Amino acid sequence: MKTVPIITAKEAAAMVKDGDTLLQGGFGMTGNPVHLMHALAETETKNLTFIGNNVGEAGLGGGRLLRNGQIKKMIGSFFTSNPEAVKAAQDGVVDYELIPQGTLAEAVRAGGAGIGGFYTVTAAGTDIAAGKETKIINGKEMVFVPGIRGNVAFVRAWKADTAGNLQYRMTEQNFNKAFATAADLVIAEAEHIVEVGEIEPENIHTQGCFVDYLVHEHTTIEELGSSGSVSKSKVVSEKRMNMAKRALAELQKGEVVNLGIGIPTLVADLITPEHGIILHTENGMLGVGPVPEDGGGALEYPVNAGKIPVTALPGTSYFDSVDSFAMIRGGHIDTAVMGGLQVDENANLANWAVPGEPLLGVGGAMDLASGAKKLIITMMHTERDGSPKIVPTCDLPLTTKGAVDMLITDLAVFRFIDGKLTLTELLPGATLEEVRAKTSAHFVEKIEK
């Protein structure tokens, strides 16, 4: 059995060269090789192309490199969690490329597996696909995505043995497993380094043949950023809670369900064991439980896609982002409940970008919208200025085309029946006249009694 050298974070950082493409594992600050990133921030290395789900948080992880001006280009799916990354992109300080979360994970997996690229329905017909090769496969428009590789990969493991085998903890697999396969030089930061044989073979997630160096570092709660503590409850309006309750009523016992950020997260708080609903989160967990009452945040608990510590129900399983999005793209998620900015008469959804607004992230929305068997959108019926959000044609950047099955607003419930936007229900306090006045899209009225 080989022995992988154990080096310091400073020695590891010195191996990254000017102009390198750096892959960084982690989801937010969970499973993030923060010590390697901070050691790199102490060097003069610059002009880096950074690839990761997000650029850490302000001053943490990749965020520290960004603040130092060491990043030339950032490639990822959700920069919004770091306001400094959003500002740097919008001010033209750094180049950037947005890639849907599942597409990013699969592109790196392909690169690590020696596969040139693949076609996916995710992002077809959206701004993300502009200028890219497309093809009709099995009657669906698909976008070609080339495989991704890097010069160096920094990953974070819970446990490593001296042969370089890695074990990840809970939702810390995320992007680490794929990223560890797709670089010329792979350096793993680990909480524990043990002798060969101390990790059971079935618990090894990344095999030692992928790993070149190990670094032994302990993570503190401060280094976990926003996931470092348990999220506290927020005051929720009656209208938003009514939407959450109505969405919950649509979910069936035994369904595998993914809940997006915003109003859909309220649904999770309403789910009880009696509902029998299995919650899925994009960063690698099936069987998500409620937010814990207290504790040390992501030091003690897994996190969901909102980077919020959660509990695990009996039967929960953990996996990496590649497997998570295989579940999504493969049609194994029964229902996705997502927020929306606009829905139009053709069941198109816009929910990820508003021109000019400080938002720079698509996350897993495009994958979920096109991959879930049923798509439910929850959103306020109008903008704050009173302008309609249910429109004839979306004029905001599209998330997906023709995929919305059901729409729940603070006023009403709509379904797409025989391809037509159909009003089927009024929510408490709403009138038909109000819905008509506040909806610019044409719709059929078939209100359920």
Side-chain angles (χ1 to χ4, degrees), residues 25-50:
F27 185 84
M29 298 308 298
T30 305
N32 191 301
V34 63
H35 302 92
L36 290 174
M37 299 301 291
H38 289 179
L40 183 56
E42 296 296 319
T43 71
E44 299 298 321
T45 307
K46 57 186 182 300
N47 294 322
L48 297 172
T49 295
F50 173 94

Side-chain angles (χ1 to χ4, degrees), residues 86-98:
V86 175
K87 188 175 189 305
Q90 293 185 328
D91 290 350
V93 175
V94 294
D95 293 331
Y96 69 92
E97 181 181 355
L98 273 175

Side-chain angles (χ1 to χ4, degrees), residues 16-83:
V16 183
K17 307 302 181 186
D18 284 359
D20 273 355
T21 293
L22 173 68
L23 301 176
Q24 181 228 271
F27 185 84
M29 298 308 298
T30 305
N32 191 301
V34 63
H35 302 92
L36 290 174
M37 299 301 291
H38 289 179
L40 183 56
E42 296 296 319
T43 71
E44 299 298 321
T45 307
K46 57 186 182 300
N47 294 322
L48 297 172
T49 295
F50 173 94
I51 300 178
N53 183 59
N54 51 285
V55 191
E57 296 184 9
L60 284 177
R64 189 167 294 187
L65 298 182
L66 180 70
R67 186 177 284 181
N68 287 350
Q70 293 170 273
I71 295 177
K72 175 183 66 175
K73 182 176 182 178
M74 52 188 189
I75 300 172
S77 82
F78 198 76
F79 304 133
T80 309
S81 54
N82 184 345

Side-chain angles (χ1 to χ4, degrees), residues 308-347:
I308 296 171
V310 292
T311 54
L313 299 179
T316 289
S317 60
Y318 301 112
F319 34 89
D320 75 334
S321 295
V322 171
D323 284 346
S324 184
F325 282 93
M327 295 176 189
I328 294 168
R329 286 191 305 273
H332 306 289
I333 305 301
D334 295 300
T335 303
V337 184
M338 303 172 64
L341 296 174
Q342 286 181 338
V343 172
D344 69 21
E345 295 174 10
N346 296 308

